[in-house]
Amino acid sequence: MRARLAIDKEYEIGAIDKRIYGSFIEHLGRAVYGGIYEPGHPRADANGFRGDVLELVRELDVPVVRYPGGNFVSSFNWEDSVGPVDKRPRRLDLAWKSVEPNSFGLAEFARWAKEAGTEIMYAINLGTRGIDAARNIVEYCNHPGGSYWSDLRRQHGSKAGFGIKLWCLGNEMDGPWQVGQKTPDEYGRIAYETAKALKLFDPKLELVACGSSNGHMPTFPQWEATVLEHCYDSVDYLSLHHYFRNDDDELPAFLASSLGMDSFIDSVVATCDFVQSKKRSKKKMQLSFDEWNVWFHSAEADSKNEPWQVGPPLLEDVYTMEDALVVGCLINVLLRHADRVKVACLAQLVNVIAPIMTDNGGAAWRQTIYWPFLYASKYGRGTSMSVKVDSPTYESKAFGPVPYLDASAVLSEDGRHLCLFCVNRSREAVELDLRAAGFEGLALAEHVELRNDDLKAANTAAAPNRVSPKVLATGKAGAALAPLSFNVLRYSIGK
Ligand code: AHR
């Protein structure tokens, strides 16, 4: 089958904010305990940070990591996570029915983030707590000294502070599962008042208000509209969360799920712009898609979880080749919305619905979904270009016609490379016919392909490289995309 992809140097979607390659570490399952932190592990450093995990996180080059939750944050007292470790309380975490020993806390995460070369995106508890706890933690983290909370931090050993710029005002506050769930008016008010207090402290802080927990919530998108009526002018981003599933094991429908992400973003953009018009505001609300991924494999195992353990194995999805294809398509959606989506977090980073898996005391390895994320993070920085795809389609019940070819295009920051990320959703090869107006002397410099004949193939501790990318021979400007494959086509641009 043939598909045509047309781009034009004149038609840009917008500058890509590198923070769309963000991720997420929650105090959930083995993300922290047994994931990034495992004192006594042969690869742990003096801080207890696993060096093998740090190497993989650095390879992914994740610019921002959301922390410490998630649902966890809505009944979490941040004060428990600071000061001498032996004085910190053990608490019951109601969100995941686990025990939180607080032996890894704020200062430890800040140190880890520095070693990983990433920035912190900190989520504040607006479930059981409120404005007071919010203003205190911001002062603790960011004020240089000479006040109660900043001096306490200095006493705890951090003179410089953590300089955290990006703050989430709660998590999924519309969700009935959330401790301290709110109505949109209750949440909109508290988000507004919290934003006001934080911006009085520092107007340069960037604040994220909670959108709906996902696009299927019955109150979506009225939740967004009401919340923004309250806090439009005080916050910088509205959050989106969505996870994708394949419960019925129907590959074509699963591969089409990125069209759902597309229309979810379009609806949120439309709602934000409606509120903007209503308020006669000059400001365009930007989006933070701060939880996205495939999540369904672990549901059955999790239903048998023994409660009240430290670091239990929870949400340990083992990802397959087909999940990697879906993740490739989801990244394409984020890139095609680069004009509005400025932050995004692959949820999560280690062990919990994650690209990186570990065994306690053992190895760390890359899951299948690691690969599309790695290549996008590596080559997907610069300007997102408008792509016109002319491809044969198939019908899906949920979305109607679905193009077999899914693509995004990125012009590199130095203007010397054009990178296409292409997913072939078909069981047939696709012959790609590229028309790139305004780009002289394009030559295919690199073609990386991720595919496996067994679509259920996964990487494990015993076979960590079963699904891994292959570098193909390059030649003409067009390329052949193998059946059911993810492809990185990197072109050098002549003068
Ligand atoms: O990422 C796992 C969970 O999914 C998060 O804690 C929550 O915010 C979402 O429902």
Side-chain angles (χ1 to χ4, degrees):
M1 138 185 355
R2 289 184 77 81
R4 185 198 289 174
L5 197 159
I7 58 178
D8 188 315
K9 204 169 180 188
E10 300 291 319
Y11 299 140
E12 297 177 354
I13 293 171
I16 297 162
D17 189 322
K18 66 176 183 185
R19 294 177 302 173
I20 68 166
Y21 302 115
S23 189
F24 182 23
I25 288 283
E26 177 166 4
H27 280 253
L28 189 190
R30 297 191 307 120
V32 173
Y33 305 106
I36 62 175
Y37 175 74
E38 195 181 343
H41 185 278
R43 295 287 314 274
D45 64 13
N47 296 308
F49 303 160
R50 282 188 63 155
D52 49 357
V53 173
L54 270 171
E55 274 165 23
L56 294 175
V57 174
R58 285 191 204 110
E59 184 177 62
L60 284 179
D61 194 4
V62 177
V64 70
V65 178
R66 188 165 174 254
Y67 177 82
N71 297 339
F72 169 80
V73 87
S74 292
S75 54
F76 168 63
N77 298 332
W78 72 267
E79 301 87 339
D80 295 346
S81 73
V82 300
V85 172
D86 57 353
K87 299 245 157 40
R88 296 184 195 165
R90 280 168 83 83
R91 297 273 191 201
L92 296 187
D93 159 34
L94 301 177
W96 303 105
K97 290 192 186 296
S98 303
V99 170
E100 174 51 58
N102 283 304
S103 38
F104 183 98
L106 182 51
E108 292 74 28
F109 188 67
R111 209 172 300 138
W112 179 87
K114 203 163 177 199
E115 289 206 20
T118 192
E119 298 273 326
I120 302 173
M121 175 185 199
Y122 196 93
I124 287 171
N125 176 359
L126 288 185
T128 58
R129 310 290 296 273
I131 308 166
D132 206 38
R135 71 176 177 135
N136 293 345
I137 185 177
V138 171
E139 180 185 318
Y140 182 93
C141 289
N142 288 7
H143 198 58
S147 69
Y148 177 81
W149 291 106
S150 59
D151 286 346
L152 187 64
R153 183 202 67 236
R154 291 172 76 93
Q155 209 180 298
H156 290 160
S158 172
K159 294 239 158 9
F162 308 130
I164 301 173
K165 303 252 162 22
L166 194 52
W167 297 82
C168 304
L169 304 176
N171 177 70
E172 298 190 348
M173 300 306 309
D174 61 329
W177 56 87
Q178 207 67 225
V179 179
Q181 181 198 7
K182 308 241 174 316
T183 67
D185 281 306
E186 285 167 348
Y187 176 68
R189 282 287 305 140
I190 197 172
Y192 169 73
E193 290 297 339
T194 307
K196 186 166 83 188
L198 300 195
K199 295 253 176 169
L200 282 169
F201 170 75
D202 178 359
K204 292 210 193 79
L205 295 180
E206 295 183 74
L207 307 179
V208 186
C210 292
S212 296
S213 300
N214 61 70
H216 301 314
M217 295 299 286
T219 47
F220 173 77
Q222 187 58 52
W223 168 275
E224 278 72 3
T226 308
V227 165
L228 289 178
E229 291 276 353
H230 288 283
C231 64
Y232 192 90
D233 289 317
S234 315
V235 303
D236 304 280
Y237 307 93
L238 185 68
S239 78
L240 295 85
H241 290 181
H242 207 95
Y243 294 97
F244 300 86
R245 1 183 6 116
N246 187 17
D247 299 291
D248 299 331
D249 197 11
E250 277 182 22
L251 183 58
F254 187 40
L255 289 173
S257 48
S258 60
L259 278 74
M261 189 194 219
D262 231 325
S263 68
F264 180 36
I265 296 176
D266 288 343
S267 304
V268 175
V269 166
T271 310
C272 291
D273 292 353
F274 164 75
V275 179
Q276 181 194 4
S277 311
K278 210 170 157 197
K279 287 187 169 285
R280 311 314 191 235
S281 171
K282 290 206 164 52
K283 172 167 141 188
K284 270 268 169 264
M285 185 59 60
Q286 308 288 18
L287 308 185
S288 171
F289 211 126
D290 44 45
E291 289 189 34
W292 68 271
N293 203 347
V294 170
W295 172 15
F296 72 103
H297 295 284
S298 54
E300 204 191 322
D302 289 350
S303 66
K304 298 181 190 132
N305 174 53
E306 264 308 303
W308 316 127
Q309 304 176 68
V310 176
L314 281 175
L315 280 66
E316 299 205 356
D317 277 42
V318 175
Y319 290 115
T320 62
M321 178 62 219
E322 56 191 26
D323 298 325
L325 295 176
V326 170
V327 163
C329 294
L330 298 175
I331 293 169
N332 282 343
V333 175
L334 294 173
L335 284 167
R336 294 195 301 260
H337 286 91
D339 54 334
R340 295 301 284 268
V341 179
K342 297 296 172 184
V343 180
C345 303
L346 172 66
Q348 300 193 8
L349 187 55
V350 184
N351 288 333
V352 171
I353 41 174
I356 300 168
M357 286 298 285
T358 71
D359 272 344
N360 288 353
W365 64 96
R366 303 167 179 89
Q367 293 236 55
T368 60
I369 63 166
Y370 185 97
W371 295 112
F373 189 77
L374 171 80
Y375 281 101
S377 174
K378 193 172 154 121
Y379 294 140
R381 300 185 187 208
T383 306
S384 178
M385 304 301 298
S386 203
V387 287
K388 184 168 181 300
V389 169
D390 192 357
S391 155
T393 59
Y394 65 94
E395 276 303 301
S396 91
K397 228 192 277 162
F399 306 108
V402 181
Y404 281 113
L405 173 65
D406 186 74
S408 65
V410 175
L411 177 61
S412 64
E413 278 156 353
D414 63 8
R416 292 170 62 186
H417 287 94
L418 180 70
C419 192
L420 307 183
F421 300 104
C422 297
V423 176
N424 178 1
R425 292 185 174 109
S426 160
R427 290 190 182 275
E428 274 178 47
V430 166
E431 196 62 42
L432 181 72
D433 173 12
L434 172 64
R435 311 276 167 100
F439 293 100
E440 301 300 319
L442 277 191
L444 186 54
E446 195 176 351
H447 182 175
V448 179
E449 176 192 84
L450 186 71
R451 69 178 288 254
N452 195 295
D453 287 338
D454 178 0
L455 291 159
K456 301 294 181 195
N459 295 338
T460 57
N465 301 316
R466 186 158 173 224
V467 179
S468 49
K470 252 194 284 156
V471 176
L472 303 185
T474 51
K476 53 192 173 47
L481 309 177
L484 297 166
S485 63
F486 167 80
N487 299 266
V488 182
L489 301 169
R490 194 157 167 265
Y491 296 88
S492 58
I493 304 170
K495 281 183 208 134

